[in-house]
């Protein structure tokens, strides 16, 4: 996988990463994180330009997420209930993700992307819930910029230890993001209960 991605990125450059992250943002199972990390290695080797790669990655992720948002907005819930299995989404996960979305759209869009299986639903649910598009794009861009920068940075600065670092990211980062999301949702619940008491 690593060698194929490196060859792909070395040949297609920023355009290849742009296309790869469109697929990633659509929620289709795809090694977008690995691709971005390996792009960082190529940047470190001087084979790719950092600013071109950063711009292509953030733009690609936003294009894919926007397409998913529009599918959710125009087609709605029946689409996800019918085709969710192709995005590795169960009805139970759909209901759970929808409840998180309605409680806090910013937290769901920014942190929900780190949660396995829920991440695939994020842009679709934003569209289904008719979250204003500009608001969605701002939250999604914040996530994309931080996620892309993080993965590129690891590739640039720690490329020679990429296997151990990538394994650590895959195993720990989703749990950390889930913990942050749970703490934030608990804060909102406690705050809401406190308002009802007053």
């Amino acid at each position: 996988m690593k060698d194929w991605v490196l060859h792909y990125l070395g040949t297609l450059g920023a355009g290849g990463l742009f296309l790869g992250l469109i697929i990633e943002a659509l929620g289709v199972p795809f090694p977008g994180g690995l691709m971005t990390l390996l792009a960082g290695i190529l940047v470190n080797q001087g084979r790719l330009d950092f600013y071109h790669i950063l711009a292509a990655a953030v733009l690609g992720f936003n294009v894919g997420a926007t397409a998913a948002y529009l599918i959710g907005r125009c087609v709605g819930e029946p689409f996800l209930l019918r085709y969710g299995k192709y995005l590795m989404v169960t009805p139970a996960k759909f209901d759970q993700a929808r409840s998180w979305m309605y409680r806090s759209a910013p937290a769901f869009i920014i942190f929900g992307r780190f949660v396995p299986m829920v991440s695939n639903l994020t842009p679709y649910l934003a569209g289904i819930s008719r979250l204003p598009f500009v608001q969605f794009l701002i939250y999604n861009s914040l996530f994309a910029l931080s996620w892309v920068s993080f993965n590129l940075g690891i590739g640039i600065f720690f490329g020679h230890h990429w296997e151990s670092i990538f394994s650590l990211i895959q195993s720990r980062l989703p749990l950390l993001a889930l913990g942050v999301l749970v703490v934030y949702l608990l804060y909102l619940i406690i705050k809401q209960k406190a308002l009802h008491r007053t």
Side-chain angles (χ1 to χ4, degrees):
M1 174 66 77
K2 180 194 80 163
D3 294 334
W4 179 85
V5 174
L6 282 171
H7 176 73
Y8 171 82
L9 288 171
T11 303
L12 298 179
L17 187 60
F18 173 79
L19 293 173
L21 290 193
I22 288 176
I23 298 170
E24 169 81 16
L26 282 167
V28 177
F30 192 77
L34 174 62
M35 184 175 284
T36 310
L37 191 149
L38 292 176
I41 293 175
L42 294 178
V43 168
N44 190 36
Q45 295 173 354
R47 295 168 61 187
L48 295 175
D49 179 75
F50 173 77
Y51 294 105
H52 289 164
I53 287 297
L54 180 66
V58 172
L59 183 61
F61 200 90
N62 274 321
V63 168
T66 296
Y69 171 91
L70 292 173
I71 290 171
R73 191 175 181 104
C74 299
V75 183
E77 188 173 324
F79 173 84
L80 276 182
L81 293 177
R82 184 169 182 180
Y83 298 106
K85 59 185 177 182
Y86 300 110
L87 300 174
M88 311 276 291
V89 173
T90 63
K93 284 288 181 188
F94 176 78
D95 290 337
Q96 182 184 36
R98 180 166 52 185
S99 69
W100 289 355
M101 174 72 194
Y102 288 143
R103 286 180 185 175
S104 175
F108 180 75
I109 293 170
I110 295 172
F111 298 112
R113 279 288 195 179
F114 292 103
V115 181
M117 287 208 262
V118 172
S119 64
N120 298 356
L121 288 169
T122 304
Y124 296 98
L125 276 175
I128 289 170
S129 65
R130 300 201 169 271
L131 182 73
F133 176 70
V134 172
Q135 193 177 352
F136 165 75
L137 191 59
I138 290 170
Y139 299 148
N140 193 74
S141 296
L142 287 173
F143 168 79
L145 185 60
S146 60
W147 180 77
V148 167
S149 299
F150 180 73
N151 282 300
L152 276 177
I154 288 176
I156 291 169
F157 295 109
F158 305 104
H160 51 291
H161 294 303
W162 82 271
E163 288 183 349
S164 57
I165 292 170
F166 183 69
S167 175
L168 182 65
I169 292 169
Q170 290 294 90
S171 62
R172 302 286 183 225
L173 192 58
L175 293 175
L176 178 62
L178 179 60
V180 170
L181 181 61
V182 168
V183 169
Y184 184 75
L185 291 175
L186 285 173
Y187 165 75
L188 290 177
I189 292 168
I190 292 169
K191 184 178 178 182
Q192 190 174 24
K193 285 183 177 179
L195 287 173
H196 284 307
R197 286 176 187 168
T198 57

Short mmCIF file of all heavy atoms in Angstrom, two decimals, residues 97 100-101 104-123 143 174 177-178 180-182 185:
data_model
loop_
_atom_site.label_atom_id
_atom_site.label_comp_id
_atom_site.label_asym_id
_atom_site.label_seq_id
_atom_site.Cartn_x
_atom_site.Cartn_y
_atom_site.Cartn_z
N ALA A 97 -25.57 9.28 15.30
CA ALA A 97 -24.93 10.44 14.68
C ALA A 97 -25.91 11.59 14.52
O ALA A 97 -25.56 12.76 14.73
CB ALA A 97 -24.35 10.04 13.32
N TRP A 100 -26.32 13.45 17.78
CA TRP A 100 -25.16 14.31 18.03
C TRP A 100 -25.22 15.57 17.18
O TRP A 100 -24.90 16.66 17.63
CB TRP A 100 -23.87 13.57 17.74
CG TRP A 100 -23.53 12.50 18.73
CD1 TRP A 100 -24.20 12.19 19.87
CD2 TRP A 100 -22.44 11.58 18.65
NE1 TRP A 100 -23.60 11.14 20.51
CE2 TRP A 100 -22.51 10.74 19.78
CE3 TRP A 100 -21.42 11.38 17.74
CZ2 TRP A 100 -21.60 9.72 20.02
CZ3 TRP A 100 -20.50 10.36 17.98
CH2 TRP A 100 -20.59 9.55 19.11
N MET A 101 -25.64 15.39 15.95
CA MET A 101 -25.71 16.52 15.01
C MET A 101 -26.68 17.58 15.52
O MET A 101 -26.40 18.78 15.50
CB MET A 101 -26.15 16.01 13.64
CG MET A 101 -26.39 17.08 12.61
SD MET A 101 -24.85 17.82 12.04
CE MET A 101 -25.49 19.25 11.21
N SER A 104 -25.18 19.57 18.69
CA SER A 104 -24.15 20.58 18.43
C SER A 104 -23.52 20.35 17.06
O SER A 104 -22.66 19.48 16.91
CB SER A 104 -23.06 20.52 19.52
OG SER A 104 -22.02 21.42 19.19
N ALA A 105 -23.94 21.13 16.09
CA ALA A 105 -23.42 20.99 14.72
C ALA A 105 -21.92 21.25 14.64
O ALA A 105 -21.19 20.48 14.01
CB ALA A 105 -24.18 21.91 13.77
N PRO A 106 -21.38 22.31 15.28
CA PRO A 106 -19.94 22.56 15.18
C PRO A 106 -19.11 21.39 15.71
O PRO A 106 -18.15 20.96 15.07
CB PRO A 106 -19.72 23.82 16.02
CG PRO A 106 -21.04 24.50 16.05
CD PRO A 106 -22.05 23.41 16.02
N ALA A 107 -19.47 20.89 16.91
CA ALA A 107 -18.71 19.78 17.49
C ALA A 107 -18.82 18.53 16.63
O ALA A 107 -17.85 17.81 16.43
CB ALA A 107 -19.21 19.49 18.90
N PHE A 108 -20.02 18.28 16.10
CA PHE A 108 -20.22 17.09 15.29
C PHE A 108 -19.39 17.15 14.01
O PHE A 108 -18.75 16.16 13.64
CB PHE A 108 -21.71 16.94 14.94
CG PHE A 108 -22.00 15.73 14.10
CD1 PHE A 108 -21.98 14.46 14.66
CD2 PHE A 108 -22.26 15.85 12.75
CE1 PHE A 108 -22.24 13.34 13.88
CE2 PHE A 108 -22.50 14.74 11.97
CZ PHE A 108 -22.50 13.48 12.54
N ILE A 109 -19.40 18.27 13.33
CA ILE A 109 -18.69 18.38 12.05
C ILE A 109 -17.18 18.39 12.26
O ILE A 109 -16.44 17.75 11.51
CB ILE A 109 -19.15 19.63 11.29
CG1 ILE A 109 -20.61 19.46 10.86
CG2 ILE A 109 -18.28 19.87 10.06
CD1 ILE A 109 -21.25 20.71 10.30
N ILE A 110 -16.70 19.09 13.29
CA ILE A 110 -15.25 19.19 13.49
C ILE A 110 -14.69 17.94 14.16
O ILE A 110 -13.71 17.36 13.69
CB ILE A 110 -14.90 20.44 14.32
CG1 ILE A 110 -15.28 21.70 13.52
CG2 ILE A 110 -13.41 20.47 14.66
CD1 ILE A 110 -15.17 22.99 14.30
N PHE A 111 -15.32 17.47 15.24
CA PHE A 111 -14.78 16.33 15.98
C PHE A 111 -15.36 15.00 15.52
O PHE A 111 -14.71 13.96 15.65
CB PHE A 111 -15.02 16.51 17.49
CG PHE A 111 -14.35 17.71 18.06
CD1 PHE A 111 -15.08 18.78 18.53
CD2 PHE A 111 -12.97 17.79 18.11
CE1 PHE A 111 -14.47 19.90 19.06
CE2 PHE A 111 -12.34 18.90 18.63
CZ PHE A 111 -13.09 19.96 19.11
N GLY A 112 -16.58 15.02 14.98
CA GLY A 112 -17.20 13.78 14.53
C GLY A 112 -16.43 13.10 13.42
O GLY A 112 -16.51 11.88 13.24
N ARG A 113 -15.67 13.87 12.66
CA ARG A 113 -14.85 13.31 11.58
C ARG A 113 -13.77 12.37 12.09
O ARG A 113 -13.25 11.55 11.35
CB ARG A 113 -14.19 14.43 10.79
CG ARG A 113 -15.07 15.10 9.76
CD ARG A 113 -15.31 14.19 8.59
NE ARG A 113 -15.86 14.91 7.44
CZ ARG A 113 -16.14 14.32 6.30
NH1 ARG A 113 -15.93 13.04 6.14
NH2 ARG A 113 -16.64 15.02 5.31
N PHE A 114 -13.41 12.48 13.37
CA PHE A 114 -12.40 11.61 13.94
C PHE A 114 -12.98 10.30 14.46
O PHE A 114 -12.23 9.41 14.82
CB PHE A 114 -11.68 12.31 15.10
CG PHE A 114 -10.82 13.47 14.67
CD1 PHE A 114 -11.25 14.77 14.85
CD2 PHE A 114 -9.58 13.26 14.10
CE1 PHE A 114 -10.46 15.85 14.48
CE2 PHE A 114 -8.78 14.33 13.72
CZ PHE A 114 -9.22 15.62 13.90
N VAL A 115 -14.30 10.20 14.54
CA VAL A 115 -14.94 9.02 15.13
C VAL A 115 -15.24 8.00 14.04
O VAL A 115 -15.95 8.31 13.08
CB VAL A 115 -16.25 9.42 15.86
CG1 VAL A 115 -16.90 8.20 16.49
CG2 VAL A 115 -15.96 10.48 16.91
N PRO A 116 -14.70 6.78 14.16
CA PRO A 116 -14.94 5.76 13.13
C PRO A 116 -16.43 5.54 12.88
O PRO A 116 -17.23 5.53 13.80
CB PRO A 116 -14.29 4.50 13.72
CG PRO A 116 -13.27 5.01 14.68
CD PRO A 116 -13.83 6.29 15.23
N MET A 117 -16.81 5.34 11.65
CA MET A 117 -18.16 5.10 11.16
C MET A 117 -19.05 6.34 11.21
O MET A 117 -19.79 6.61 10.29
CB MET A 117 -18.81 3.92 11.88
CG MET A 117 -18.21 2.59 11.43
SD MET A 117 -19.36 1.24 11.59
CE MET A 117 -18.85 0.55 13.12
N VAL A 118 -18.97 7.09 12.30
CA VAL A 118 -19.75 8.34 12.37
C VAL A 118 -19.19 9.35 11.37
O VAL A 118 -19.93 10.13 10.77
CB VAL A 118 -19.71 8.91 13.81
CG1 VAL A 118 -20.33 10.29 13.86
CG2 VAL A 118 -20.44 7.97 14.76
N SER A 119 -17.86 9.32 11.17
CA SER A 119 -17.22 10.29 10.28
C SER A 119 -17.79 10.23 8.87
O SER A 119 -17.91 11.26 8.20
CB SER A 119 -15.71 10.05 10.24
OG SER A 119 -15.43 8.78 9.67
N ASN A 120 -18.16 9.04 8.41
CA ASN A 120 -18.71 8.89 7.05
C ASN A 120 -20.03 9.64 6.87
O ASN A 120 -20.38 10.04 5.76
CB ASN A 120 -18.96 7.41 6.73
CG ASN A 120 -17.67 6.60 6.76
OD1 ASN A 120 -16.60 7.14 6.94
ND2 ASN A 120 -17.79 5.32 6.57
N LEU A 121 -20.74 9.84 7.98
CA LEU A 121 -22.08 10.44 7.91
C LEU A 121 -22.08 11.96 8.01
O LEU A 121 -23.07 12.60 7.68
CB LEU A 121 -22.93 9.90 9.07
CG LEU A 121 -23.39 8.46 8.97
CD1 LEU A 121 -23.98 8.02 10.30
CD2 LEU A 121 -24.40 8.30 7.87
N THR A 122 -20.97 12.51 8.48
CA THR A 122 -20.95 13.93 8.86
C THR A 122 -21.51 14.87 7.79
O THR A 122 -22.46 15.61 8.06
CB THR A 122 -19.52 14.36 9.24
OG1 THR A 122 -19.05 13.50 10.27
CG2 THR A 122 -19.49 15.78 9.72
N PRO A 123 -20.99 14.91 6.56
CA PRO A 123 -21.51 15.87 5.59
C PRO A 123 -22.93 15.55 5.14
O PRO A 123 -23.71 16.46 4.86
CB PRO A 123 -20.52 15.79 4.43
CG PRO A 123 -19.91 14.45 4.54
CD PRO A 123 -19.87 14.12 6.00
N PHE A 143 -11.93 21.72 10.08
CA PHE A 143 -11.49 20.34 10.25
C PHE A 143 -10.46 19.97 9.20
O PHE A 143 -9.40 19.40 9.51
CB PHE A 143 -12.66 19.35 10.18
CG PHE A 143 -12.18 17.93 10.06
CD1 PHE A 143 -11.73 17.26 11.17
CD2 PHE A 143 -12.12 17.31 8.82
CE1 PHE A 143 -11.23 15.96 11.06
CE2 PHE A 143 -11.63 16.02 8.69
CZ PHE A 143 -11.18 15.34 9.82
N PRO A 174 -8.63 8.50 16.97
CA PRO A 174 -10.09 8.40 17.03
C PRO A 174 -10.63 8.36 18.46
O PRO A 174 -11.65 8.97 18.76
CB PRO A 174 -10.39 7.10 16.28
CG PRO A 174 -9.23 6.93 15.36
CD PRO A 174 -8.05 7.45 16.13
N ALA A 177 -10.42 11.89 19.92
CA ALA A 177 -11.48 12.75 19.37
C ALA A 177 -12.84 12.38 19.95
O ALA A 177 -13.64 13.25 20.26
CB ALA A 177 -11.50 12.62 17.86
N LEU A 178 -13.10 11.08 20.11
CA LEU A 178 -14.35 10.64 20.70
C LEU A 178 -14.47 11.15 22.13
O LEU A 178 -15.54 11.61 22.55
CB LEU A 178 -14.44 9.11 20.66
CG LEU A 178 -15.71 8.50 21.27
CD1 LEU A 178 -16.95 8.99 20.54
CD2 LEU A 178 -15.64 6.99 21.23
N VAL A 180 -13.07 13.86 23.41
CA VAL A 180 -13.33 15.31 23.36
C VAL A 180 -14.80 15.57 23.03
O VAL A 180 -15.44 16.44 23.63
CB VAL A 180 -12.40 15.99 22.33
CG1 VAL A 180 -12.82 17.44 22.10
CG2 VAL A 180 -10.96 15.92 22.79
N LEU A 181 -15.34 14.81 22.06
CA LEU A 181 -16.73 14.99 21.67
C LEU A 181 -17.68 14.67 22.82
O LEU A 181 -18.63 15.40 23.08
CB LEU A 181 -17.04 14.11 20.45
CG LEU A 181 -18.46 14.21 19.89
CD1 LEU A 181 -18.76 15.64 19.42
CD2 LEU A 181 -18.64 13.23 18.73
N VAL A 182 -17.41 13.58 23.54
CA VAL A 182 -18.26 13.18 24.67
C VAL A 182 -18.22 14.24 25.76
O VAL A 182 -19.26 14.62 26.31
CB VAL A 182 -17.81 11.80 25.22
CG1 VAL A 182 -18.47 11.52 26.56
CG2 VAL A 182 -18.15 10.70 24.22
N LEU A 185 -20.28 17.24 24.64
CA LEU A 185 -21.72 16.97 24.69
C LEU A 185 -22.22 16.93 26.14
O LEU A 185 -23.32 17.42 26.43
CB LEU A 185 -22.04 15.66 23.98
CG LEU A 185 -21.87 15.68 22.46
CD1 LEU A 185 -22.09 14.30 21.87
CD2 LEU A 185 -22.81 16.67 21.81
#
